[in-house]
Amino acid sequence: MTTGRDDDALTWDGDDDPTLDIGAAAEREPAPEPDPTADPAPEAPAQAPVLPKGYTAVGRGSETVAARSAADAASVDGSISDVAIDAAPAPAPEARSLGNGTLVALGVLGGIYALYAIGWLIGGLRLQGRAQYLVLDVMYQGSLWLAVLAPVLWFATTFLLTRRSRAWVRFAWLAVGVIVLLPWPFVMIGAIGQ
């Protein structure tokens, strides 16, 4: 048979559990009063914890832990060259996360570039009958697929080359691509043009 306290783990009643009330426990048990005649014990200086070799401290106060670990290891080993490398790793470049607006704008521009690729394909296939008199079929097929891949390549190249740049630089290059890569065969002839 279980008691009521055992069932509390399966319920949510809030934070009014008497075992969690630290302030009430402190009020019930008065703190012992210090003896005025006793000599005060000398307080030991607070020492930062020492990390084993190969571990790195992170977070608030990690600088003091790393410096303390380096000093202790140097006194044990007699050399600080190995420890200095482990204790103070080179700071990694901070990766900037994209904001919500940036992600939405990149999604919209990615959709525009995908529509451009589809527009180049449809427009290029509509012109294929007329172009057979001007150029060889192999030349036309090569240029058609380069035109279809151009928006995708522009988007991917711009995204990769402007990773470390400011957001406006990336969007400026993507806007240039929207203007330059406009699928003119689709615009001029359309999907059902003659």
Side-chain angles (χ1 to χ4, degrees), residues 160-186:
L160 290 175
L161 292 180
T162 59
R163 281 184 303 178
R164 304 213 189 281
S165 302
R166 295 186 181 264
W168 70 267
V169 173
R170 176 179 288 164
F171 286 114
W173 280 107
L174 289 174
V176 167
V178 167
I179 295 167
V180 169
L181 297 172
L182 190 66
W184 286 109
F186 185 79

mmCIF file with all atom_site columns, all heavy atoms in Angstrom, residues 160-186:
data_model
loop_
_atom_site.group_PDB
_atom_site.id
_atom_site.type_symbol
_atom_site.label_atom_id
_atom_site.label_alt_id
_atom_site.label_comp_id
_atom_site.label_asym_id
_atom_site.label_entity_id
_atom_site.label_seq_id
_atom_site.pdbx_PDB_ins_code
_atom_site.Cartn_x
_atom_site.Cartn_y
_atom_site.Cartn_z
_atom_site.occupancy
_atom_site.B_iso_or_equiv
_atom_site.pdbx_formal_charge
_atom_site.auth_seq_id
_atom_site.auth_comp_id
_atom_site.auth_asym_id
_atom_site.auth_atom_id
_atom_site.pdbx_PDB_model_num
ATOM 1   N N   . LEU A 1 160 ? 27.147 30.803 -49.556 1.00 0.00 ? 160 LEU A N   1
ATOM 2   C CA  . LEU A 1 160 ? 28.401 30.298 -49.009 1.00 0.00 ? 160 LEU A CA  1
ATOM 3   C C   . LEU A 1 160 ? 29.482 31.362 -48.901 1.00 0.00 ? 160 LEU A C   1
ATOM 4   O O   . LEU A 1 160 ? 30.235 31.385 -47.936 1.00 0.00 ? 160 LEU A O   1
ATOM 5   C CB  . LEU A 1 160 ? 28.903 29.134 -49.864 1.00 0.00 ? 160 LEU A CB  1
ATOM 6   C CG  . LEU A 1 160 ? 28.077 27.851 -49.768 1.00 0.00 ? 160 LEU A CG  1
ATOM 7   C CD1 . LEU A 1 160 ? 28.598 26.811 -50.745 1.00 0.00 ? 160 LEU A CD1 1
ATOM 8   C CD2 . LEU A 1 160 ? 28.093 27.309 -48.355 1.00 0.00 ? 160 LEU A CD2 1
ATOM 9   N N   . LEU A 1 161 ? 29.568 32.241 -49.888 1.00 0.00 ? 161 LEU A N   1
ATOM 10  C CA  . LEU A 1 161 ? 30.644 33.245 -49.871 1.00 0.00 ? 161 LEU A CA  1
ATOM 11  C C   . LEU A 1 161 ? 30.369 34.412 -48.929 1.00 0.00 ? 161 LEU A C   1
ATOM 12  O O   . LEU A 1 161 ? 31.292 35.145 -48.591 1.00 0.00 ? 161 LEU A O   1
ATOM 13  C CB  . LEU A 1 161 ? 30.896 33.762 -51.285 1.00 0.00 ? 161 LEU A CB  1
ATOM 14  C CG  . LEU A 1 161 ? 31.507 32.752 -52.262 1.00 0.00 ? 161 LEU A CG  1
ATOM 15  C CD1 . LEU A 1 161 ? 31.702 33.390 -53.622 1.00 0.00 ? 161 LEU A CD1 1
ATOM 16  C CD2 . LEU A 1 161 ? 32.814 32.198 -51.727 1.00 0.00 ? 161 LEU A CD2 1
ATOM 17  N N   . THR A 1 162 ? 29.130 34.597 -48.518 1.00 0.00 ? 162 THR A N   1
ATOM 18  C CA  . THR A 1 162 ? 28.816 35.715 -47.623 1.00 0.00 ? 162 THR A CA  1
ATOM 19  C C   . THR A 1 162 ? 28.447 35.236 -46.222 1.00 0.00 ? 162 THR A C   1
ATOM 20  O O   . THR A 1 162 ? 27.769 35.943 -45.490 1.00 0.00 ? 162 THR A O   1
ATOM 21  C CB  . THR A 1 162 ? 27.659 36.550 -48.194 1.00 0.00 ? 162 THR A CB  1
ATOM 22  O OG1 . THR A 1 162 ? 26.507 35.715 -48.352 1.00 0.00 ? 162 THR A OG1 1
ATOM 23  C CG2 . THR A 1 162 ? 28.029 37.192 -49.506 1.00 0.00 ? 162 THR A CG2 1
ATOM 24  N N   . ARG A 1 163 ? 28.932 34.074 -45.831 1.00 0.00 ? 163 ARG A N   1
ATOM 25  C CA  . ARG A 1 163 ? 28.625 33.559 -44.487 1.00 0.00 ? 163 ARG A CA  1
ATOM 26  C C   . ARG A 1 163 ? 29.168 34.466 -43.402 1.00 0.00 ? 163 ARG A C   1
ATOM 27  O O   . ARG A 1 163 ? 28.539 34.673 -42.386 1.00 0.00 ? 163 ARG A O   1
ATOM 28  C CB  . ARG A 1 163 ? 29.208 32.166 -44.306 1.00 0.00 ? 163 ARG A CB  1
ATOM 29  C CG  . ARG A 1 163 ? 28.399 31.094 -44.947 1.00 0.00 ? 163 ARG A CG  1
ATOM 30  C CD  . ARG A 1 163 ? 28.978 29.765 -44.631 1.00 0.00 ? 163 ARG A CD  1
ATOM 31  N NE  . ARG A 1 163 ? 30.376 29.735 -45.074 1.00 0.00 ? 163 ARG A NE  1
ATOM 32  C CZ  . ARG A 1 163 ? 31.195 28.734 -44.916 1.00 0.00 ? 163 ARG A CZ  1
ATOM 33  N NH1 . ARG A 1 163 ? 30.780 27.670 -44.307 1.00 0.00 ? 163 ARG A NH1 1
ATOM 34  N NH2 . ARG A 1 163 ? 32.425 28.769 -45.368 1.00 0.00 ? 163 ARG A NH2 1
ATOM 35  N N   . ARG A 1 164 ? 30.345 34.997 -43.577 1.00 0.00 ? 164 ARG A N   1
ATOM 36  C CA  . ARG A 1 164 ? 30.972 35.820 -42.547 1.00 0.00 ? 164 ARG A CA  1
ATOM 37  C C   . ARG A 1 164 ? 30.723 37.310 -42.756 1.00 0.00 ? 164 ARG A C   1
ATOM 38  O O   . ARG A 1 164 ? 31.233 38.132 -42.021 1.00 0.00 ? 164 ARG A O   1
ATOM 39  C CB  . ARG A 1 164 ? 32.462 35.538 -42.506 1.00 0.00 ? 164 ARG A CB  1
ATOM 40  C CG  . ARG A 1 164 ? 32.774 34.080 -42.294 1.00 0.00 ? 164 ARG A CG  1
ATOM 41  C CD  . ARG A 1 164 ? 34.018 33.877 -41.512 1.00 0.00 ? 164 ARG A CD  1
ATOM 42  N NE  . ARG A 1 164 ? 34.446 32.494 -41.460 1.00 0.00 ? 164 ARG A NE  1
ATOM 43  C CZ  . ARG A 1 164 ? 33.930 31.571 -40.672 1.00 0.00 ? 164 ARG A CZ  1
ATOM 44  N NH1 . ARG A 1 164 ? 32.938 31.888 -39.893 1.00 0.00 ? 164 ARG A NH1 1
ATOM 45  N NH2 . ARG A 1 164 ? 34.383 30.341 -40.670 1.00 0.00 ? 164 ARG A NH2 1
ATOM 46  N N   . SER A 1 165 ? 29.956 37.660 -43.761 1.00 0.00 ? 165 SER A N   1
ATOM 47  C CA  . SER A 1 165 ? 29.652 39.065 -44.048 1.00 0.00 ? 165 SER A CA  1
ATOM 48  C C   . SER A 1 165 ? 28.405 39.489 -43.294 1.00 0.00 ? 165 SER A C   1
ATOM 49  O O   . SER A 1 165 ? 27.689 38.683 -42.715 1.00 0.00 ? 165 SER A O   1
ATOM 50  C CB  . SER A 1 165 ? 29.434 39.264 -45.545 1.00 0.00 ? 165 SER A CB  1
ATOM 51  O OG  . SER A 1 165 ? 30.571 38.865 -46.264 1.00 0.00 ? 165 SER A OG  1
ATOM 52  N N   . ARG A 1 166 ? 28.148 40.771 -43.364 1.00 0.00 ? 166 ARG A N   1
ATOM 53  C CA  . ARG A 1 166 ? 26.912 41.286 -42.772 1.00 0.00 ? 166 ARG A CA  1
ATOM 54  C C   . ARG A 1 166 ? 25.718 40.844 -43.617 1.00 0.00 ? 166 ARG A C   1
ATOM 55  O O   . ARG A 1 166 ? 25.854 40.499 -44.781 1.00 0.00 ? 166 ARG A O   1
ATOM 56  C CB  . ARG A 1 166 ? 26.969 42.793 -42.690 1.00 0.00 ? 166 ARG A CB  1
ATOM 57  C CG  . ARG A 1 166 ? 28.045 43.284 -41.753 1.00 0.00 ? 166 ARG A CG  1
ATOM 58  C CD  . ARG A 1 166 ? 27.951 44.782 -41.612 1.00 0.00 ? 166 ARG A CD  1
ATOM 59  N NE  . ARG A 1 166 ? 28.983 45.287 -40.752 1.00 0.00 ? 166 ARG A NE  1
ATOM 60  C CZ  . ARG A 1 166 ? 28.812 45.522 -39.460 1.00 0.00 ? 166 ARG A CZ  1
ATOM 61  N NH1 . ARG A 1 166 ? 27.657 45.296 -38.896 1.00 0.00 ? 166 ARG A NH1 1
ATOM 62  N NH2 . ARG A 1 166 ? 29.800 45.997 -38.736 1.00 0.00 ? 166 ARG A NH2 1
ATOM 63  N N   . ALA A 1 167 ? 24.555 40.896 -42.999 1.00 0.00 ? 167 ALA A N   1
ATOM 64  C CA  . ALA A 1 167 ? 23.344 40.403 -43.669 1.00 0.00 ? 167 ALA A CA  1
ATOM 65  C C   . ALA A 1 167 ? 23.013 41.240 -44.903 1.00 0.00 ? 167 ALA A C   1
ATOM 66  O O   . ALA A 1 167 ? 22.565 40.704 -45.916 1.00 0.00 ? 167 ALA A O   1
ATOM 67  C CB  . ALA A 1 167 ? 22.178 40.395 -42.692 1.00 0.00 ? 167 ALA A CB  1
ATOM 68  N N   . TRP A 1 168 ? 23.254 42.549 -44.838 1.00 0.00 ? 168 TRP A N   1
ATOM 69  C CA  . TRP A 1 168 ? 22.879 43.390 -45.972 1.00 0.00 ? 168 TRP A CA  1
ATOM 70  C C   . TRP A 1 168 ? 23.726 43.074 -47.204 1.00 0.00 ? 168 TRP A C   1
ATOM 71  O O   . TRP A 1 168 ? 23.262 43.219 -48.335 1.00 0.00 ? 168 TRP A O   1
ATOM 72  C CB  . TRP A 1 168 ? 22.954 44.873 -45.617 1.00 0.00 ? 168 TRP A CB  1
ATOM 73  C CG  . TRP A 1 168 ? 24.342 45.408 -45.415 1.00 0.00 ? 168 TRP A CG  1
ATOM 74  C CD1 . TRP A 1 168 ? 25.027 45.507 -44.254 1.00 0.00 ? 168 TRP A CD1 1
ATOM 75  C CD2 . TRP A 1 168 ? 25.204 45.926 -46.432 1.00 0.00 ? 168 TRP A CD2 1
ATOM 76  N NE1 . TRP A 1 168 ? 26.261 46.029 -44.457 1.00 0.00 ? 168 TRP A NE1 1
ATOM 77  C CE2 . TRP A 1 168 ? 26.402 46.316 -45.798 1.00 0.00 ? 168 TRP A CE2 1
ATOM 78  C CE3 . TRP A 1 168 ? 25.089 46.094 -47.802 1.00 0.00 ? 168 TRP A CE3 1
ATOM 79  C CZ2 . TRP A 1 168 ? 27.469 46.858 -46.488 1.00 0.00 ? 168 TRP A CZ2 1
ATOM 80  C CZ3 . TRP A 1 168 ? 26.157 46.640 -48.496 1.00 0.00 ? 168 TRP A CZ3 1
ATOM 81  C CH2 . TRP A 1 168 ? 27.331 47.022 -47.830 1.00 0.00 ? 168 TRP A CH2 1
ATOM 82  N N   . VAL A 1 169 ? 24.969 42.608 -47.003 1.00 0.00 ? 169 VAL A N   1
ATOM 83  C CA  . VAL A 1 169 ? 25.818 42.242 -48.140 1.00 0.00 ? 169 VAL A CA  1
ATOM 84  C C   . VAL A 1 169 ? 25.230 41.014 -48.829 1.00 0.00 ? 169 VAL A C   1
ATOM 85  O O   . VAL A 1 169 ? 25.128 40.963 -50.068 1.00 0.00 ? 169 VAL A O   1
ATOM 86  C CB  . VAL A 1 169 ? 27.267 41.977 -47.666 1.00 0.00 ? 169 VAL A CB  1
ATOM 87  C CG1 . VAL A 1 169 ? 28.121 41.442 -48.796 1.00 0.00 ? 169 VAL A CG1 1
ATOM 88  C CG2 . VAL A 1 169 ? 27.873 43.227 -47.066 1.00 0.00 ? 169 VAL A CG2 1
ATOM 89  N N   . ARG A 1 170 ? 24.821 40.037 -48.038 1.00 0.00 ? 170 ARG A N   1
ATOM 90  C CA  . ARG A 1 170 ? 24.215 38.829 -48.609 1.00 0.00 ? 170 ARG A CA  1
ATOM 91  C C   . ARG A 1 170 ? 22.952 39.183 -49.379 1.00 0.00 ? 170 ARG A C   1
ATOM 92  O O   . ARG A 1 170 ? 22.744 38.724 -50.498 1.00 0.00 ? 170 ARG A O   1
ATOM 93  C CB  . ARG A 1 170 ? 23.896 37.845 -47.494 1.00 0.00 ? 170 ARG A CB  1
ATOM 94  C CG  . ARG A 1 170 ? 23.169 36.615 -47.996 1.00 0.00 ? 170 ARG A CG  1
ATOM 95  C CD  . ARG A 1 170 ? 22.895 35.655 -46.880 1.00 0.00 ? 170 ARG A CD  1
ATOM 96  N NE  . ARG A 1 170 ? 24.168 35.027 -46.494 1.00 0.00 ? 170 ARG A NE  1
ATOM 97  C CZ  . ARG A 1 170 ? 24.339 34.366 -45.367 1.00 0.00 ? 170 ARG A CZ  1
ATOM 98  N NH1 . ARG A 1 170 ? 23.371 34.244 -44.519 1.00 0.00 ? 170 ARG A NH1 1
ATOM 99  N NH2 . ARG A 1 170 ? 25.503 33.820 -45.101 1.00 0.00 ? 170 ARG A NH2 1
ATOM 100 N N   . PHE A 1 171 ? 22.101 40.009 -48.797 1.00 0.00 ? 171 PHE A N   1
ATOM 101 C CA  . PHE A 1 171 ? 20.849 40.352 -49.458 1.00 0.00 ? 171 PHE A CA  1
ATOM 102 C C   . PHE A 1 171 ? 21.068 41.238 -50.676 1.00 0.00 ? 171 PHE A C   1
ATOM 103 O O   . PHE A 1 171 ? 20.310 41.172 -51.640 1.00 0.00 ? 171 PHE A O   1
ATOM 104 C CB  . PHE A 1 171 ? 19.872 40.991 -48.470 1.00 0.00 ? 171 PHE A CB  1
ATOM 105 C CG  . PHE A 1 171 ? 19.278 39.994 -47.531 1.00 0.00 ? 171 PHE A CG  1
ATOM 106 C CD1 . PHE A 1 171 ? 19.564 40.039 -46.188 1.00 0.00 ? 171 PHE A CD1 1
ATOM 107 C CD2 . PHE A 1 171 ? 18.467 38.981 -48.003 1.00 0.00 ? 171 PHE A CD2 1
ATOM 108 C CE1 . PHE A 1 171 ? 19.037 39.108 -45.326 1.00 0.00 ? 171 PHE A CE1 1
ATOM 109 C CE2 . PHE A 1 171 ? 17.932 38.049 -47.146 1.00 0.00 ? 171 PHE A CE2 1
ATOM 110 C CZ  . PHE A 1 171 ? 18.216 38.109 -45.801 1.00 0.00 ? 171 PHE A CZ  1
ATOM 111 N N   . ALA A 1 172 ? 22.116 42.042 -50.657 1.00 0.00 ? 172 ALA A N   1
ATOM 112 C CA  . ALA A 1 172 ? 22.421 42.851 -51.838 1.00 0.00 ? 172 ALA A CA  1
ATOM 113 C C   . ALA A 1 172 ? 22.809 41.951 -53.011 1.00 0.00 ? 172 ALA A C   1
ATOM 114 O O   . ALA A 1 172 ? 22.323 42.149 -54.141 1.00 0.00 ? 172 ALA A O   1
ATOM 115 C CB  . ALA A 1 172 ? 23.551 43.837 -51.524 1.00 0.00 ? 172 ALA A CB  1
ATOM 116 N N   . TRP A 1 173 ? 23.658 40.962 -52.767 1.00 0.00 ? 173 TRP A N   1
ATOM 117 C CA  . TRP A 1 173 ? 24.049 40.051 -53.846 1.00 0.00 ? 173 TRP A CA  1
ATOM 118 C C   . TRP A 1 173 ? 22.879 39.195 -54.307 1.00 0.00 ? 173 TRP A C   1
ATOM 119 O O   . TRP A 1 173 ? 22.751 38.893 -55.495 1.00 0.00 ? 173 TRP A O   1
ATOM 120 C CB  . TRP A 1 173 ? 25.222 39.172 -53.416 1.00 0.00 ? 173 TRP A CB  1
ATOM 121 C CG  . TRP A 1 173 ? 26.523 39.890 -53.513 1.00 0.00 ? 173 TRP A CG  1
ATOM 122 C CD1 . TRP A 1 173 ? 27.290 40.357 -52.499 1.00 0.00 ? 173 TRP A CD1 1
ATOM 123 C CD2 . TRP A 1 173 ? 27.197 40.263 -54.713 1.00 0.00 ? 173 TRP A CD2 1
ATOM 124 N NE1 . TRP A 1 173 ? 28.393 40.986 -52.982 1.00 0.00 ? 173 TRP A NE1 1
ATOM 125 C CE2 . TRP A 1 173 ? 28.364 40.933 -54.350 1.00 0.00 ? 173 TRP A CE2 1
ATOM 126 C CE3 . TRP A 1 173 ? 26.935 40.077 -56.065 1.00 0.00 ? 173 TRP A CE3 1
ATOM 127 C CZ2 . TRP A 1 173 ? 29.262 41.428 -55.283 1.00 0.00 ? 173 TRP A CZ2 1
ATOM 128 C CZ3 . TRP A 1 173 ? 27.837 40.571 -56.997 1.00 0.00 ? 173 TRP A CZ3 1
ATOM 129 C CH2 . TRP A 1 173 ? 28.983 41.235 -56.598 1.00 0.00 ? 173 TRP A CH2 1
ATOM 130 N N   . LEU A 1 174 ? 22.017 38.797 -53.391 1.00 0.00 ? 174 LEU A N   1
ATOM 131 C CA  . LEU A 1 174 ? 20.838 38.029 -53.801 1.00 0.00 ? 174 LEU A CA  1
ATOM 132 C C   . LEU A 1 174 ? 19.877 38.893 -54.614 1.00 0.00 ? 174 LEU A C   1
ATOM 133 O O   . LEU A 1 174 ? 19.252 38.414 -55.562 1.00 0.00 ? 174 LEU A O   1
ATOM 134 C CB  . LEU A 1 174 ? 20.139 37.440 -52.572 1.00 0.00 ? 174 LEU A CB  1
ATOM 135 C CG  . LEU A 1 174 ? 20.878 36.295 -51.875 1.00 0.00 ? 174 LEU A CG  1
ATOM 136 C CD1 . LEU A 1 174 ? 20.169 35.896 -50.596 1.00 0.00 ? 174 LEU A CD1 1
ATOM 137 C CD2 . LEU A 1 174 ? 21.024 35.107 -52.798 1.00 0.00 ? 174 LEU A CD2 1
ATOM 138 N N   . ALA A 1 175 ? 19.767 40.174 -54.277 1.00 0.00 ? 175 ALA A N   1
ATOM 139 C CA  . ALA A 1 175 ? 18.908 41.078 -55.056 1.00 0.00 ? 175 ALA A CA  1
ATOM 140 C C   . ALA A 1 175 ? 19.479 41.303 -56.455 1.00 0.00 ? 175 ALA A C   1
ATOM 141 O O   . ALA A 1 175 ? 18.723 41.366 -57.436 1.00 0.00 ? 175 ALA A O   1
ATOM 142 C CB  . ALA A 1 175 ? 18.759 42.407 -54.329 1.00 0.00 ? 175 ALA A CB  1
ATOM 143 N N   . VAL A 1 176 ? 20.804 41.395 -56.556 1.00 0.00 ? 176 VAL A N   1
ATOM 144 C CA  . VAL A 1 176 ? 21.430 41.520 -57.872 1.00 0.00 ? 176 VAL A CA  1
ATOM 145 C C   . VAL A 1 176 ? 21.117 40.287 -58.713 1.00 0.00 ? 176 VAL A C   1
ATOM 146 O O   . VAL A 1 176 ? 20.800 40.385 -59.910 1.00 0.00 ? 176 VAL A O   1
ATOM 147 C CB  . VAL A 1 176 ? 22.961 41.726 -57.736 1.00 0.00 ? 176 VAL A CB  1
ATOM 148 C CG1 . VAL A 1 176 ? 23.669 41.542 -59.063 1.00 0.00 ? 176 VAL A CG1 1
ATOM 149 C CG2 . VAL A 1 176 ? 23.259 43.097 -57.162 1.00 0.00 ? 176 VAL A CG2 1
ATOM 150 N N   . GLY A 1 177 ? 21.169 39.114 -58.097 1.00 0.00 ? 177 GLY A N   1
ATOM 151 C CA  . GLY A 1 177 ? 20.846 37.890 -58.812 1.00 0.00 ? 177 GLY A CA  1
ATOM 152 C C   . GLY A 1 177 ? 19.403 37.842 -59.269 1.00 0.00 ? 177 GLY A C   1
ATOM 153 O O   . GLY A 1 177 ? 19.108 37.327 -60.361 1.00 0.00 ? 177 GLY A O   1
ATOM 154 N N   . VAL A 1 178 ? 18.483 38.373 -58.466 1.00 0.00 ? 178 VAL A N   1
ATOM 155 C CA  . VAL A 1 178 ? 17.074 38.404 -58.867 1.00 0.00 ? 178 VAL A CA  1
ATOM 156 C C   . VAL A 1 178 ? 16.899 39.251 -60.121 1.00 0.00 ? 178 VAL A C   1
ATOM 157 O O   . VAL A 1 178 ? 16.115 38.917 -61.012 1.00 0.00 ? 178 VAL A O   1
ATOM 158 C CB  . VAL A 1 178 ? 16.197 38.928 -57.706 1.00 0.00 ? 178 VAL A CB  1
ATOM 159 C CG1 . VAL A 1 178 ? 14.801 39.277 -58.166 1.00 0.00 ? 178 VAL A CG1 1
ATOM 160 C CG2 . VAL A 1 178 ? 16.135 37.910 -56.580 1.00 0.00 ? 178 VAL A CG2 1
ATOM 161 N N   . ILE A 1 179 ? 17.664 40.322 -60.233 1.00 0.00 ? 179 ILE A N   1
ATOM 162 C CA  . ILE A 1 179 ? 17.556 41.200 -61.400 1.00 0.00 ? 179 ILE A CA  1
ATOM 163 C C   . ILE A 1 179 ? 18.266 40.586 -62.616 1.00 0.00 ? 179 ILE A C   1
ATOM 164 O O   . ILE A 1 179 ? 17.731 40.567 -63.716 1.00 0.00 ? 179 ILE A O   1
ATOM 165 C CB  . ILE A 1 179 ? 18.132 42.594 -61.073 1.00 0.00 ? 179 ILE A CB  1
ATOM 166 C CG1 . ILE A 1 179 ? 17.277 43.261 -59.996 1.00 0.00 ? 179 ILE A CG1 1
ATOM 167 C CG2 . ILE A 1 179 ? 18.218 43.464 -62.313 1.00 0.00 ? 179 ILE A CG2 1
ATOM 168 C CD1 . ILE A 1 179 ? 17.905 44.489 -59.377 1.00 0.00 ? 179 ILE A CD1 1
ATOM 169 N N   . VAL A 1 180 ? 19.478 40.073 -62.408 1.00 0.00 ? 180 VAL A N   1
ATOM 170 C CA  . VAL A 1 180 ? 20.296 39.591 -63.516 1.00 0.00 ? 180 VAL A CA  1
ATOM 171 C C   . VAL A 1 180 ? 19.754 38.286 -64.108 1.00 0.00 ? 180 VAL A C   1
ATOM 172 O O   . VAL A 1 180 ? 19.810 38.073 -65.322 1.00 0.00 ? 180 VAL A O   1
ATOM 173 C CB  . VAL A 1 180 ? 21.761 39.407 -63.047 1.00 0.00 ? 180 VAL A CB  1
ATOM 174 C CG1 . VAL A 1 180 ? 22.595 38.674 -64.062 1.00 0.00 ? 180 VAL A CG1 1
ATOM 175 C CG2 . VAL A 1 180 ? 22.377 40.749 -62.721 1.00 0.00 ? 180 VAL A CG2 1
ATOM 176 N N   . LEU A 1 181 ? 19.232 37.408 -63.276 1.00 0.00 ? 181 LEU A N   1
ATOM 177 C CA  . LEU A 1 181 ? 18.848 36.068 -63.720 1.00 0.00 ? 181 LEU A CA  1
ATOM 178 C C   . LEU A 1 181 ? 17.380 35.943 -64.107 1.00 0.00 ? 181 LEU A C   1
ATOM 179 O O   . LEU A 1 181 ? 16.852 34.838 -64.182 1.00 0.00 ? 181 LEU A O   1
ATOM 180 C CB  . LEU A 1 181 ? 19.173 35.053 -62.619 1.00 0.00 ? 181 LEU A CB  1
ATOM 181 C CG  . LEU A 1 181 ? 20.651 34.929 -62.277 1.00 0.00 ? 181 LEU A CG  1
ATOM 182 C CD1 . LEU A 1 181 ? 20.840 34.056 -61.060 1.00 0.00 ? 181 LEU A CD1 1
ATOM 183 C CD2 . LEU A 1 181 ? 21.425 34.369 -63.445 1.00 0.00 ? 181 LEU A CD2 1
ATOM 184 N N   . LEU A 1 182 ? 16.731 37.028 -64.375 1.00 0.00 ? 182 LEU A N   1
ATOM 185 C CA  . LEU A 1 182 ? 15.324 36.994 -64.766 1.00 0.00 ? 182 LEU A CA  1
ATOM 186 C C   . LEU A 1 182 ? 15.159 36.103 -66.003 1.00 0.00 ? 182 LEU A C   1
ATOM 187 O O   . LEU A 1 182 ? 15.877 36.257 -66.984 1.00 0.00 ? 182 LEU A O   1
ATOM 188 C CB  . LEU A 1 182 ? 14.842 38.411 -65.082 1.00 0.00 ? 182 LEU A CB  1
ATOM 189 C CG  . LEU A 1 182 ? 13.355 38.599 -65.277 1.00 0.00 ? 182 LEU A CG  1
ATOM 190 C CD1 . LEU A 1 182 ? 12.615 38.344 -63.966 1.00 0.00 ? 182 LEU A CD1 1
ATOM 191 C CD2 . LEU A 1 182 ? 13.058 39.994 -65.766 1.00 0.00 ? 182 LEU A CD2 1
ATOM 192 N N   . PRO A 1 183 ? 14.244 35.140 -65.963 1.00 0.00 ? 183 PRO A N   1
ATOM 193 C CA  . PRO A 1 183 ? 14.091 34.211 -67.097 1.00 0.00 ? 183 PRO A CA  1
ATOM 194 C C   . PRO A 1 183 ? 13.398 34.884 -68.279 1.00 0.00 ? 183 PRO A C   1
ATOM 195 O O   . PRO A 1 183 ? 12.180 34.777 -68.463 1.00 0.00 ? 183 PRO A O   1
ATOM 196 C CB  . PRO A 1 183 ? 13.261 33.072 -66.504 1.00 0.00 ? 183 PRO A CB  1
ATOM 197 C CG  . PRO A 1 183 ? 12.535 33.667 -65.361 1.00 0.00 ? 183 PRO A CG  1
ATOM 198 C CD  . PRO A 1 183 ? 13.394 34.776 -64.840 1.00 0.00 ? 183 PRO A CD  1
ATOM 199 N N   . TRP A 1 184 ? 14.170 35.554 -69.141 1.00 0.00 ? 184 TRP A N   1
ATOM 200 C CA  . TRP A 1 184 ? 13.608 36.315 -70.255 1.00 0.00 ? 184 TRP A CA  1
ATOM 201 C C   . TRP A 1 184 ? 12.827 35.474 -71.253 1.00 0.00 ? 184 TRP A C   1
ATOM 202 O O   . TRP A 1 184 ? 11.813 35.945 -71.768 1.00 0.00 ? 184 TRP A O   1
ATOM 203 C CB  . TRP A 1 184 ? 14.705 37.116 -70.958 1.00 0.00 ? 184 TRP A CB  1
ATOM 204 C CG  . TRP A 1 184 ? 15.119 38.279 -70.127 1.00 0.00 ? 184 TRP A CG  1
ATOM 205 C CD1 . TRP A 1 184 ? 16.287 38.438 -69.465 1.00 0.00 ? 184 TRP A CD1 1
ATOM 206 C CD2 . TRP A 1 184 ? 14.329 39.440 -69.832 1.00 0.00 ? 184 TRP A CD2 1
ATOM 207 N NE1 . TRP A 1 184 ? 16.295 39.616 -68.764 1.00 0.00 ? 184 TRP A NE1 1
ATOM 208 C CE2 . TRP A 1 184 ? 15.094 40.260 -68.994 1.00 0.00 ? 184 TRP A CE2 1
ATOM 209 C CE3 . TRP A 1 184 ? 13.058 39.866 -70.199 1.00 0.00 ? 184 TRP A CE3 1
ATOM 210 C CZ2 . TRP A 1 184 ? 14.637 41.468 -68.511 1.00 0.00 ? 184 TRP A CZ2 1
ATOM 211 C CZ3 . TRP A 1 184 ? 12.599 41.079 -69.714 1.00 0.00 ? 184 TRP A CZ3 1
ATOM 212 C CH2 . TRP A 1 184 ? 13.384 41.869 -68.881 1.00 0.00 ? 184 TRP A CH2 1
ATOM 213 N N   . PRO A 1 185 ? 13.231 34.249 -71.558 1.00 0.00 ? 185 PRO A N   1
ATOM 214 C CA  . PRO A 1 185 ? 12.404 33.474 -72.490 1.00 0.00 ? 185 PRO A CA  1
ATOM 215 C C   . PRO A 1 185 ? 10.993 33.251 -71.947 1.00 0.00 ? 185 PRO A C   1
ATOM 216 O O   . PRO A 1 185 ? 10.023 33.306 -72.699 1.00 0.00 ? 185 PRO A O   1
ATOM 217 C CB  . PRO A 1 185 ? 13.153 32.145 -72.632 1.00 0.00 ? 185 PRO A CB  1
ATOM 218 C CG  . PRO A 1 185 ? 14.542 32.453 -72.271 1.00 0.00 ? 185 PRO A CG  1
ATOM 219 C CD  . PRO A 1 185 ? 14.483 33.557 -71.266 1.00 0.00 ? 185 PRO A CD  1
ATOM 220 N N   . PHE A 1 186 ? 10.869 33.016 -70.660 1.00 0.00 ? 186 PHE A N   1
ATOM 221 C CA  . PHE A 1 186 ? 9.546  32.807 -70.066 1.00 0.00 ? 186 PHE A CA  1
ATOM 222 C C   . PHE A 1 186 ? 8.765  34.109 -70.031 1.00 0.00 ? 186 PHE A C   1
ATOM 223 O O   . PHE A 1 186 ? 7.551  34.129 -70.279 1.00 0.00 ? 186 PHE A O   1
ATOM 224 C CB  . PHE A 1 186 ? 9.691  32.227 -68.657 1.00 0.00 ? 186 PHE A CB  1
ATOM 225 C CG  . PHE A 1 186 ? 8.381  31.881 -68.036 1.00 0.00 ? 186 PHE A CG  1
ATOM 226 C CD1 . PHE A 1 186 ? 7.714  30.719 -68.379 1.00 0.00 ? 186 PHE A CD1 1
ATOM 227 C CD2 . PHE A 1 186 ? 7.791  32.714 -67.101 1.00 0.00 ? 186 PHE A CD2 1
ATOM 228 C CE1 . PHE A 1 186 ? 6.502  30.384 -67.803 1.00 0.00 ? 186 PHE A CE1 1
ATOM 229 C CE2 . PHE A 1 186 ? 6.574  32.396 -66.528 1.00 0.00 ? 186 PHE A CE2 1
ATOM 230 C CZ  . PHE A 1 186 ? 5.923  31.227 -66.883 1.00 0.00 ? 186 PHE A CZ  1
#
